[in-house]
Amino acid sequence: KQEVTQIPAALSVPEGENLVLNCSFTDSAIYNLQWFRQDPGKGLTSLLLIQSSQREQTSGRLNASLDKSSGRSTLYIAASQPGDSATYLCAPTGSARQLTFGSGTQLTVLP
Amino acid sequence: DAGVIQSPRHEVTEMGQEVTLRCKPISGHDYLFWYRQTMMRGLELLIYFNNNVPIDDSGMPEDRFSAKMPNASFSTLKIQPSEPRDSAVYFCASTLGTEETQYFGPGTRLLVL
C-alpha cells in the first residue's frame, strides 16, 4: 500500500523567499505525481503533474521534480508571495489512476 | 466548462438519517472519484468509476456507504444510516484518462449530529 509523507508539516516564511516542499512515497511504481494546492474551506487545485518518465515540470514560479527510483518529489516555489499561503498536497498516481495523498504542508507567507 | 459540480455544498443531518451527495463530472471525462477528507485521516479515496462502472470500492468504509453512476454526467454517494463519525468533507473529482490531471469539485461539508 502506497504511503506518502510530506515534510515539513508547516512552514512560515517572509515574502520573497524561495522555498522547497518535500514529498516521499514508498511505492515507486507510480504512473505520475501531482502537486495540489488547497485553500482553507476550498477544494483542491492541481498545480503540476509530472509523468513517471519526467524529471521536472515547471509552471511560472513553481518547479516540481521527481526522482521515482528513490521515491521523492520536491516542489520549489520561487519569490514567494502572501497569495501562495495554502496547504500543498503531494499525490502519486497508481496505475489504476488512484491518487494517494500526503498529509500536506501548510505554508504561510508573511507580508 | 463549469468544472466538477457538487451538491449540496453543506449538509447538516441527525444520526440515523440518509444522506445523498451528488456530483456532476466535467463533460467528456471518463473517470470519476469520490474522496473523503478529515483532520484525522487526511484525504482518502473511497471509490472510483471508469466509464460509469465501479472499478475499486475498497476505500468505502462499510456497508452503510454506497455509490452509483447511472450515466456519464451524474454520480451519487449515499450514506444510510449516517453516524457522527461520517462528518467530513466529501470531494468528487474527474479526469480524462489520456490527460491524467484530476479536477476536484468544491466539496460537500457534511456534519452528522
Side-chain angles (χ1 to χ4, degrees):
Chain A
K1 180 186 173 186
Q2 180 75 275
E3 293 183 4
V4 182
T5 303
Q6 290 190 244
I7 295 173
L11 182 62
S12 184
V13 299
E15 182 176 4
E17 273 204 7
N18 302 326
L19 57 101
V20 176
L21 308 181
N22 296 291
C23 170
S24 61
F25 47 95
T26 56
D27 185 354
S28 62
I30 62 171
Y31 202 77
N32 58 48
L33 185 142
Q34 289 188 242
W35 281 92
F36 291 87
R37 168 186 173 138
Q38 186 174 28
D39 293 282
K42 304 287 187 182
L44 277 70
T45 301
S46 181
L47 297 173
L48 288 165
L49 181 147
I50 313 177
Q51 298 292 351
S52 62
S53 58
Q54 294 178 310
R55 301 277 300 184
E56 201 171 295
Q57 191 69 255
T58 297
S59 176
R61 294 181 294 107
L62 305 180
N63 176 277
S65 69
L66 174 64
D67 184 343
K68 201 174 101 165
S69 60
S70 67
R72 294 177 191 271
S73 178
T74 61
L75 179 67
Y76 175 82
I77 303 177
S80 58
Q81 303 171 355
D84 294 332
S85 298
T87 296
Y88 291 80
L89 295 153
C90 160
T93 305
S95 58
R97 311 289 192 275
Q98 73 278 25
L99 294 176
T100 303
F101 284 88
S103 53
T105 294
Q106 187 173 351
L107 173 65
T108 302
V109 181
L110 304 169
Chain B
D1 199 313
V4 177
I5 298 172
Q6 290 187 247
S7 64
R9 295 292 308 277
H10 301 273
E11 177 83 25
V12 180
T13 191
E14 292 187 347
M15 184 173 66
Q17 296 297 307
E18 178 180 294
V19 175
T20 300
L21 311 181
R22 297 173 177 80
C23 175
K24 176 178 168 56
I26 293 173
S27 177
H29 282 188
D30 56 352
Y31 282 84
L32 183 140
F33 304 81
W34 283 100
Y35 294 90
R36 178 171 68 175
Q37 186 175 37
T38 61
M39 289 293 293
M40 290 296 293
R41 300 174 67 91
L43 263 162
E44 303 172 286
L45 176 66
L46 299 177
I47 184 171
Y48 75 95
F49 296 82
N50 178 218
N51 292 322
N52 313 338
V53 176
I55 302 301
D56 185 354
D57 66 354
S58 60
M60 297 285 261
E62 48 198 274
D63 292 345
R64 297 184 297 106
F65 286 70
S66 62
K68 294 182 180 179
M69 193 164 185
N71 57 62
S73 59
F74 184 65
S75 177
T76 59
L77 178 67
K78 186 175 293 187
I79 309 172
Q80 166 64 16
S82 58
E83 297 183 2
R85 58 191 167 127
D86 301 331
S87 297
V89 182
Y90 291 81
F91 289 103
C92 175
S94 71
T95 188
L96 180 60
T98 56
E99 288 195 4
E100 316 300 345
T101 298
Q102 286 196 19
Y103 296 89
F104 279 69
T108 294
R109 193 170 296 271
L110 174 65
L111 178 62
V112 183
L113 301 173

